[in-house]
Amino acid sequence: MIFRLLQAAAFTVFLGRGLQHLLYGAPYRTLLWDEAWMSWLVEGIFQTPWSDYVTNAAVDENITIATKIIGVFYLLCALISLFLKKLPRFFGHFLPIGAVGLIFLAFLYYKERFFQLAQFLEYSLQFGAPIFLYWYNKSSNNQTIEQLNLLFFLKIAIATTFICHGLYAVGYYPRPGGFMEMVLNILSLPEAQVNQFLLFVGIMDFIVAVAIFLPRKIAIPAMMYIVFWGFMTTIARVWAYFQSDFWQETLLRWLPESIMRFPHFLIPLVALLWMMRKYQIGNKVSS
């Protein structure tokens, strides 16, 4: 079950990101069109004036093509995740390569959001999903020390993601308009109550992020809450923006946004099952 859930987490994040790259693009121009970061390469190495580079339609087209190629690579990684046990061992090495791509993508969003650290770290579960699958698959013949360490790192990624979400929800960083809009669309609350709701769930994010490292009587209920809330926030994009009159368009736009967030509840579910299994084993040993 744990392996299957890790497969599902890696598969969905790669599938969602692949569809995003193919259908809507990704923020590579945030870096490639930043003169302060790229002029040394464009003007210094390629000897091309910056104005010619940024206005060249061929350059723009090449960025679009490269983005789609990366999208196809992510879809390939999704298939590898799904059929990992049936493929030659060589293919498994594509998972950490794909994870590096997801880390770089998280960096681009971090740069786009004016280097707010939480913007980068909130993707921990997404870029961590293929790493966890690769790690678990590699250590499947040694199910003691290595996998025990993996559970700890699962908790670290979970806590990091939820703390970062909490920082935005409570307003430590400027609260994304999408947070407000989704709550308004789903719950139909007055704006003042939406602010209170987001403050509450942000504080809960902090509490459960700490609680999962406490003794099991506290950690297991906290992880159950994380699974539930991770699922709710994952489906929120489709739920909030779905329009029955334009169901194809809204699903095409928002379903990939939800799919790529499946690790936000699948990885906590892995940790929860793992913790409960350890608890049951401990009970058998003590009895």
Side-chain angles (χ1 to χ4, degrees):
M1 176 63 78
I2 286 176
F3 178 75
R4 295 297 184 191
L5 289 171
L6 288 174
Q7 275 187 300
F11 170 75
T12 51
V13 71
F14 281 133
L15 175 62
R17 288 301 183 187
L19 291 174
Q20 173 202 3
H21 279 64
L22 291 173
L23 297 174
Y24 307 112
Y28 296 108
R29 290 174 178 82
T30 298
L31 174 65
L32 297 175
W33 284 355
D34 188 323
E35 184 174 5
W37 286 56
M38 298 299 297
S39 61
W40 67 272
L41 179 64
V42 174
E43 297 183 337
I45 304 299
F46 294 109
Q47 299 293 307
T48 301
W50 183 259
S51 59
D52 292 348
Y53 166 74
V54 295
T55 57
N56 191 323
V59 171
D60 183 57
E61 180 63 21
N62 287 335
I63 295 173
T64 299
I65 292 172
T67 301
K68 292 186 182 299
I69 291 172
I70 294 170
V72 172
F73 172 71
Y74 283 149
L75 294 182
L76 173 64
C77 288
L79 291 175
I80 291 172
S81 302
L82 198 59
F83 299 104
L84 185 59
K85 288 291 188 182
K86 298 180 180 180
L87 293 171
R89 196 174 186 87
F90 163 78
F91 285 92
H93 298 301
F94 280 89
L95 297 179
I97 297 173
V100 171
L102 295 176
I103 291 171
F104 179 64
L105 186 62
F107 169 78
L108 294 179
Y109 284 114
Y110 164 64
K111 182 179 183 301
E112 193 175 52
R113 281 288 186 91
F114 306 104
F115 301 101
Q116 298 170 4
L117 185 59
Q119 182 64 44
F120 176 77
L121 294 178
E122 74 166 340
Y123 295 107
S124 296
L125 284 175
Q126 292 187 33
F127 59 68
I131 297 173
F132 297 143
L133 174 61
Y134 179 79
W135 187 349
Y136 188 90
N137 184 59
K138 188 177 179 182
S139 63
S140 58
N141 295 323
N142 178 16
Q143 298 182 3
T144 54
I145 297 176
E146 272 198 80
Q147 291 188 1
L148 183 64
N149 290 339
L150 177 55
L151 176 59
F152 174 74
F153 284 102
L154 289 176
K155 289 183 178 182
I156 290 291
I158 292 164
T160 301
T161 297
F162 274 74
I163 287 172
C164 292
H165 286 169
L167 289 171
Y168 283 106
V170 301
Y172 178 83
Y173 292 108
R175 186 178 287 157
F179 278 25
M180 296 285 294
E181 192 173 29
M182 283 187 288
V183 177
L184 284 167
N185 290 349
I186 294 171
L187 299 180
S188 300
L189 295 174
E191 185 173 340
Q193 292 185 21
V194 170
N195 287 322
Q196 293 175 355
F197 175 80
L198 288 172
L199 178 62
F200 170 76
V201 297
I203 292 171
M204 285 297 300
D205 284 342
F206 300 147
I207 292 173
V208 295
V210 174
I212 60 176
F213 294 97
L214 299 179
R216 58 177 176 259
K217 289 184 179 180
I218 299 173
I220 288 178
M223 194 65 77
M224 288 178 176
Y225 170 86
I226 286 176
V227 172
F228 166 76
W229 189 239
F231 175 76
M232 296 304 293
T233 56
T234 294
I235 66 171
R237 272 77 185 171
V238 175
W239 189 357
Y241 298 113
F242 181 78
Q243 299 179 40
S244 58
D245 293 338
F246 307 99
W247 66 271
Q248 290 176 309
E249 291 82 354
T250 52
L251 282 182
L252 194 63
R253 174 64 184 89
W254 294 107
L255 194 56
E257 292 283 342
S258 287
I259 291 173
M260 70 179 66
R261 289 173 170 81
F262 271 44
H264 293 187
F265 70 90
L266 288 175
I267 298 297
L269 182 56
V270 168
L272 175 62
L273 293 177
W274 210 326
M275 291 160 64
M276 293 176 70
R277 189 172 70 180
K278 285 178 60 182
Y279 177 61
Q280 291 170 354
I281 292 173
N283 280 347
K284 290 178 181 178
V285 172
S286 62
S287 61

